[in-house]
Amino acid sequence: MTTNNADLRQEKVETLNELIQATRDSAEFYADAAKAVKNPQLRSLFDDMAESKQGLVGSMAREVRAEAGQPATDGSLRGSLHQFYSTLRAEMAKDHGDYAYVKELEKSEDRLMAAFHDVIKRDDAPKAVKESLLSYLPKVQQHHDTMRERKWAMEARH
């Protein structure tokens, strides 16, 4: 079975839009966490992470437009990620401990990175889609590693 260029573009746009939505959800979660934590260094880190994720959203949106698509403009269609962030925000409102935010943000990074890897590993995902996602993976990995290291540092102090 061959995939024509229109089908390939459509799949690329749909995949990127799903990841745009998940990344936007993550950016919003960081922005919310920045407002809630007491530690000024964490506040600054979370603001930086939110901004970096918005930059990633912007890059993916430009790529969607280059494929003659319309970038996603709202939250996640991936029900599990959207549900995760909604539930987590409610829980965090009850427990404003800075470590709780770091721990949960690190988990959210695991989920976002897994979403990218899921597509990259798919046998049926077109090469052009995988190549596109691979170009964003270093930034996604950097976000993940930053939060993992912050979590480990905070755990070491307890």
Side-chain angles (χ1 to χ4, degrees), residues 49-124:
M49 293 289 278
E51 185 176 323
S52 182
K53 286 182 177 293
Q54 287 297 355
L56 190 56
V57 166
S59 294
M60 289 188 285
R62 283 188 293 281
E63 189 168 353
V64 167
R65 283 197 254 347
E67 296 294 341
Q70 180 65 36
T73 58
D74 54 9
S76 178
L77 287 179
R78 290 177 171 263
S80 63
L81 279 176
H82 185 70
Q83 178 75 23
F84 170 76
Y85 289 120
S86 298
T87 302
L88 196 51
R89 283 183 181 122
E91 289 176 17
M92 292 289 100
K94 296 176 193 169
D95 176 15
H96 290 292
D98 289 355
Y99 175 73
Y101 278 98
V102 171
K103 184 175 94 174
E104 295 306 326
L105 285 163
E106 192 266 342
K107 285 181 190 177
S108 76
E109 291 299 334
D110 287 344
R111 288 175 181 262
L112 186 59
M113 195 164 62
F116 275 79
H117 281 288
D118 286 349
V119 176
I120 292 167
K121 291 177 187 174
R122 270 189 17 226
D123 290 336
D124 65 335

Side-chain angles (χ1 to χ4, degrees), residues 13 16-18 20-21 24 57 61 64 70-75 77:
V13 165
L16 284 169
N17 273 334
E18 285 182 17
I20 284 170
Q21 292 166 323
R24 182 176 285 118
V57 166
V64 167
Q70 180 65 36
T73 58
D74 54 9
L77 287 179

